[in-house]
Amino acid sequence: MRRRDLSTVTIADAERRMVIALGKMTKLQADIFLSIRFDQTPYEELAARHGITVDQVTADFARALRIWSRCLHARFPLLVWPWL
């Protein structure tokens, strides 16, 4: 897949793609993604909050980042499959 030139992405388009990406994530992935990216919540705190290990937090954050990246770069983000 060719990468999209992100200098041409508007704020409104990025927000729309974020909503699409969040809809493709599990609730846990979305919470971890938003907490780390926007609230700078430590991994240890997220692990305690959700009753999982730090390694699981890391894995879910990586999955969420992959979904966000695919939706940001996709020509048609609604068609992105979250399990790939």
Side-chain angles (χ1 to χ4, degrees), residues 18 20-21 33-34 41-43 65 70:
M18 176 65 77
I20 292 168
F33 176 77
L34 293 172
T41 306
Y43 285 43
L65 277 176
R70 292 192 67 218

Side-chain angles (χ1 to χ4, degrees), residues 4-74:
R4 180 183 179 140
D5 178 12
L6 296 180
S7 66
T8 63
V9 177
T10 64
I11 297 295
D13 188 36
E15 288 174 352
R16 182 180 66 84
R17 288 169 182 269
M18 176 65 77
V19 169
I20 292 168
L22 289 171
K24 293 180 180 294
M25 296 176 195
T26 65
K27 287 184 180 186
L28 180 63
Q29 288 170 346
D31 181 62
I32 289 172
F33 176 77
L34 293 172
S35 295
I36 291 172
R37 283 300 284 161
F38 299 109
D39 298 334
Q40 288 83 37
T41 306
Y43 285 43
E44 294 79 12
E45 183 179 326
L46 287 169
R49 181 190 308 169
H50 294 291
I52 58 177
T53 66
V54 172
D55 288 340
Q56 289 171 309
V57 170
T58 303
D60 280 327
F61 183 55
R63 287 185 193 103
L65 277 176
R66 184 176 62 231
I67 293 169
W68 163 234
S69 178
R70 292 192 67 218
C71 286
L72 182 61
H73 292 281

